[in-house]
Amino acid sequence: MTLEQLRVFVAVAERQHVTRAAEALNLAQSAVSAHVAALEARHGAKLFHRVGRGIELTETGRLFLKEAQTVLARAEAAELVLSELGGLKRGTLAVAASQTIASYWLARHLVAYRRAYPGVEVKLIIGNTSQVAGFVRDGTSELGFVEGHIEDPSLASETIARDQMMVVVGHEHPWSKQQPVTFDDLHDTDWVLREPGSGTRSEFEEALRAKKVDFTKLRIALELPSNEAVRSAVEAGMGATALSASVVAAGIEAGLLYDVGVQLPDREFHVLRHNERYQSQAGQALLGIIDPH
């Protein structure tokens, strides 16, 4: 198989649509279909279900997608090594970040990076902390930005920034009128939290352990996969939550959320890199923009 076939397959798989993939790749639809058909025929594997006018990945296709993405990421990393001889005038830098970091912290640094190095394309993948660590581990991303602690001997972790977590409730919650709310009170309400594996969740659990609060006894009413979903549920009156100050700031300012004053420790943002893989000048340049010291 060729890298071009892999690029076409990934484009179709990510969009679940041949026409949109063809537009993104600037290829004819017939050429895209031919590349996919050649892959399937060459290896005797069906990668897509044709359902009506749409397509869906088969189980084989889902397994192959991860491998194809990894191969393309390594090819782009190899190209970046060569492009650096030209002074970062072109290339691709693959970065992964957790939701909180990607949405509320990293974006402004990527804008500054783009202005400084307009020829380098940044590909950002968003996942929870454990997923981001996996992207760096398997080479899909060179850098990973997370707020949770990662114990992995293959990865180097460095503190790059700090963040404050807050416990908030909706404006009609009893705690919005109770002063003060203490750690002993935390078992007395329902909670809406991020899913296990997210940095926000793990940092909250660790903060409670430090205060001798049994996290397993919290009444968890909902576990949701995004900060925005958690915030919206609490704004609508569903219990309490713990989120980054950056995530809840707008809700507090609008009067939709209330900071109950429970003092959680600052948490650290970390950048992950693989211990044995090449550290590109493009990646180093991004870190230099984020932390010029």
Side-chain angles (χ1 to χ4, degrees), residues 229-270:
V230 170
R231 184 185 63 203
S232 295
V234 174
E235 289 177 350
M238 176 61 78
T241 193
L243 289 171
S244 165
S246 300
V247 176
V248 301
I252 292 174
E253 184 176 350
L256 300 174
L257 295 174
Y258 180 82
D259 173 13
V260 303
V262 173
Q263 295 299 309
L264 298 176
D266 288 351
R267 62 177 179 171
E268 297 175 339
F269 288 166
H270 303 271

Side-chain angles (χ1 to χ4, degrees), residues 17-271:
H17 202 281
V18 173
T19 301
R20 286 198 287 270
E23 292 171 350
L25 296 168
N26 197 27
L27 292 174
Q29 184 174 332
S30 58
V32 170
S33 298
H35 277 303
V36 173
L39 267 178
E40 291 181 323
R42 173 68 177 82
H43 300 282
K46 192 172 183 62
L47 300 174
F48 295 99
H49 293 300
R50 277 71 177 179
V51 182
R53 299 180 64 182
I55 59 171
E56 297 176 356
L57 280 168
T58 64
E59 181 60 26
T60 299
R62 280 192 290 272
L63 294 172
F64 183 55
L65 176 59
K66 179 64 177 175
E67 298 300 325
Q69 289 170 326
T70 300
V71 170
L72 290 178
R74 298 303 303 144
E76 289 167 352
E79 182 182 11
L80 185 58
V81 173
L82 296 179
S83 72
E84 288 175 348
L85 299 175
L88 294 181
K89 293 180 180 178
R90 63 182 181 87
T92 302
L93 174 64
V95 174
S98 60
Q99 288 188 20
T100 300
I101 289 178
S103 300
Y104 298 95
W105 178 77
L106 185 60
R108 67 180 184 274
H109 298 300
L110 294 182
V111 170
Y113 184 81
R114 181 67 176 178
R115 288 172 178 164
Y117 305 101
V120 179
E121 178 186 1
V122 178
K123 289 190 174 180
L124 174 63
I125 306 173
I126 298 175
N128 64 32
T129 291
S130 60
Q131 289 170 334
V132 169
F135 294 142
V136 178
R137 187 185 306 113
D138 67 21
T140 302
S141 297
E142 178 179 338
L143 300 175
F145 296 92
V146 298
E147 66 264 24
H149 292 285
I150 294 295
E151 298 294 335
D152 187 326
S154 69
L155 303 180
S157 177
E158 179 183 351
T159 301
I160 200 164
R162 292 184 180 275
D163 182 44
Q164 177 65 51
M165 288 189 69
M166 300 173 67
V167 175
V168 296
V169 296
H171 67 93
E172 294 183 354
H173 191 284
W175 284 358
S176 67
K177 303 171 180 64
Q178 175 183 337
Q179 287 293 333
V181 175
T182 69
F183 282 94
D184 292 335
D185 298 320
L186 299 187
H187 294 112
D188 299 334
T189 192
D190 292 333
W191 287 85
V192 182
L193 297 175
R194 285 289 306 279
E195 78 286 2
S198 73
T200 296
R201 169 74 168 260
S202 63
E203 289 292 314
F204 183 48
E205 292 181 14
E206 186 173 326
L208 294 193
R209 280 195 294 270
K211 294 294 183 178
K212 310 300 183 185
V213 177
D214 188 348
F215 177 85
T216 64
K217 293 183 178 179
L218 293 186
R219 302 201 315 254
I220 301 176
L222 287 174
E223 293 179 339
L224 299 173
S226 75
N227 295 321
E228 290 70 23
V230 170
R231 184 185 63 203
S232 295
V234 174
E235 289 177 350
M238 176 61 78
T241 193
L243 289 171
S244 165
S246 300
V247 176
V248 301
I252 292 174
E253 184 176 350
L256 300 174
L257 295 174
Y258 180 82
D259 173 13
V260 303
V262 173
Q263 295 299 309
L264 298 176
D266 288 351
R267 62 177 179 171
E268 297 175 339
F269 288 166
H270 303 271
V271 58

